[in-house]
Amino acid sequence: MTGKPLTILGIETSCDETAASVVRGCAPGPGEILSNIVFSQTEAHAPYGGVVPEIASRAHLEILDGVIEQALAEANITLAALDGIAATAGPGLVGGVMVGLTTAKALALASGKPLIAVNHLMGHALTARLTHGVDYPFLLLLVSGGHCQLLGVGGTDDFRLYGSTIDDAVGEAFDKTAKILGLPYPGGPEVEQAAKAGNAKAYALPRPLVTGHNARKSADFSFSGLKTALRQLVENEAVSIPDASASFQAAVIDILTDRTAIAMQRFRTDFPDGNTLVVAGGVAANQAIGAALGRLCAAEGFVLRVPPPRLCTDNAAMIAWAGVERMASGAGDALDISPRARWPLSN
Ligand code: KG4
Ligand code: ZN
């Protein structure tokens, strides 16, 4: 590690997790997670089969103060001893983002500490530096409920987009599939669990953009055709849930590995010395996807880095860490910064 270690409080409220964490470290990592409190609102949203924005912002408002107090207490640290306060400023559900960002502004103002507004996607992207001290550059496969992208990452302000989804995000495809199959929300872990007992060849499902007449030699993703095929299957016959889950997951794996292989070629052109693939976002918690990407990396001469599942899904340690990196590179934000519903990592 180089430079002086920074101790940062991170706050995350962009979706349905209310989270606060204290992290200490310096680039390139690894960092030390002094506390990592995640309060999941899953139960509040489960009856609706997805996140309800109004319920989410109200819940953030009710519990965030307590979650922050707990994060500071567990880290055994006071506000005065922090180097800065980082909060997700987008992208995400703007009502929730506003709750976290406003709280961070109030804390920054009261304590006289700098505010660092963090892009949620950068939080996911840099987690492998927090956990493994991964050096730049690396190829990033970002797979979450709201995002599905392949990016070359050369530094905190160097993100090159190689591919993104033209319709659903992969986590969304898992959640919709679970709904079609009658499995509970959130669907990713449920589908993965059901797939373990299933036959992946039981049903022939499409691999949009990868095979067939409109196959594309790009790194873009498409999942809506897969979801539609599954819905039609369920409407037409009595399907086995394990077999349908396994067949769906196999299709997702084929799509992800095919697109990642294409992005690896582009990454090699941009960064001839780079050979690390980082997988981030909630779907990175999926062991079958991780194993398939491991095989791809072995074949292509890449090293695979996947943060542990509790740091793949939404959390505030990743926001605190992004705060560490941004503050170390001189960044700080004015207290009048606004939340952003949309905020791409690259243009
Ligand atoms: O990163 P994340 O916690 O929230 C967003 O920023 O979107 O990702 C949540 C998504 C959900 O769609 C969830 O179903 C999916 O990640 N997910 C999984 C698994 N665990 C979570 N998908 C597949 N397999 C899993 N084991
Ligand atoms: Zn996320």
Side-chain angles (χ1 to χ4, degrees), residues 120 124 144-146 171-172 174-175 186-189 192 281-283 285-286 312-314:
H120 178 87
H124 280 304
S144 74
E172 197 179 352
F174 268 98
D175 294 336
E192 178 177 19
V283 181
N286 185 297
C312 285
T313 48
D314 285 350

Side-chain angles (χ1 to χ4, degrees), residues 11-12 33 36 75 98 112 119 123 138 143 167 169 191-192 195 211 228 233 237 286 289 292 296 314 316:
I11 297 172
E12 159 59 37
I33 300 174
N36 184 19
M98 202 176 290
N119 182 318
F138 55 85
V143 278
D167 41 56
V191 171
E192 178 177 19
T211 51
T228 306
L233 184 74
E237 59 184 284
N286 185 297
I289 292 174
L296 173 69
D314 285 350

Side-chain angles (χ1 to χ4, degrees), residues 174 177 181 191-192 194-208 226-227 229-230 233 239-255:
F174 268 98
T177 292
L181 297 177
V191 171
E192 178 177 19
K196 284 184 183 152
N199 171 10
K201 296 203 168 76
Y203 304 110
L205 295 171
R207 274 85 170 138
L226 172 57
K227 176 195 65 194
L230 193 86
L233 184 74
V239 299
S240 142
I241 290 176
D243 286 353
S245 298
S247 301
F248 165 80
Q249 191 169 267
V252 168
I253 286 173
D254 283 352
I255 296 167

Side-chain angles (χ1 to χ4, degrees), residues 248-286:
F248 165 80
Q249 191 169 267
V252 168
I253 286 173
D254 283 352
I255 296 167
L256 292 180
T257 51
D258 180 88
R259 307 286 96 179
T260 305
I262 291 173
M264 282 172 166
Q265 311 310 325
R266 293 189 55 188
F267 175 75
R268 278 213 182 90
T269 309
D270 283 352
F271 302 103
D273 299 331
N275 68 345
T276 304
L277 172 68
V278 169
V279 192
V283 181
N286 185 297

